[in-house]
Amino acid sequence: MRFTYHSTHVFIHKLFSLLESEKACLLKKNEIHDFVPQHCIGYEDEAWFYLHTDITHRMVRKLCDEQGESFAIKPKGLLKALAEEDLIKTSAGQNTVSIRINGKSKRLMCLDKHKAKLIAEEAL
């Protein structure tokens, strides 16, 4: 269990690092967006980060590689680990949820913003 716990916390730390450095961005979920920046990894509202799983995972893994760190967990394993720690919203046994964005349905990882911020503030 240590491996997964560590992986989820590394993922969240790197996610916040990407957002703070503006290497990745999130758009407001309930606003209409005519333009989506290339480095957009999802959406947010007051309670949740709605993330494109594969894009976000790829950017976190790339950041780890650049920093000489390993991030070996695959996207499905990461979703499973996040769900086990009750950090993401699940629906009918799925670790992604169908969300309406700009009138279109998308399957996204719904990461609890409050819990993620608490983890991001911890030291690894």
Side-chain angles (χ1 to χ4, degrees):
M1 188 66 178
R2 178 75 183 130
F3 171 76
T4 11
Y5 172 81
H6 179 70
S7 296
T8 57
H9 287 230
V10 167
F11 172 78
I12 289 170
H13 278 269
K14 298 303 181 187
L15 170 65
F16 275 83
S17 178
L18 287 165
L19 294 171
E20 288 166 7
S21 68
E22 298 182 0
K23 289 183 179 180
C25 74
L26 296 169
L27 300 176
K28 298 291 180 200
K29 177 184 174 272
N30 297 316
E31 293 178 7
I32 302 293
H33 305 283
D34 296 324
F35 172 74
V36 177
Q38 189 172 1
H39 65 298
C40 177
I41 58 172
Y43 307 86
E44 68 177 325
D45 62 20
E46 293 299 316
W48 301 95
F49 291 125
Y50 303 93
L51 304 170
H52 296 285
T53 305
D54 290 337
I55 296 167
T56 307
H57 181 273
R58 187 172 33 248
M59 289 184 81
V60 165
R61 194 179 71 231
K62 183 178 181 228
L63 180 60
C64 286
D65 289 346
E66 289 170 358
Q67 295 176 343
E69 300 172 30
S70 173
F71 191 72
I73 194 168
K74 303 254 187 269
K76 282 188 179 185
L78 176 64
L79 284 170
K80 184 175 186 271
L82 289 165
E84 287 171 357
E85 289 185 50
D86 194 34
L87 295 171
I88 60 172
K89 188 186 300 188
T90 59
S91 173
Q94 297 284 319
N95 292 328
T96 57
V97 178
S98 185
I99 303 292
R100 291 198 73 70
I101 306 284
N102 284 349
K104 294 180 183 160
S105 183
K106 299 175 184 277
R107 288 206 72 81
L108 302 170
M109 172 199 318
C110 299
L111 180 64
D112 185 300
K113 208 171 188 178
H114 175 71
K115 291 178 183 178
K117 284 182 179 181
L118 291 175
I119 291 168
E121 292 168 1
E122 297 173 354
L124 278 177

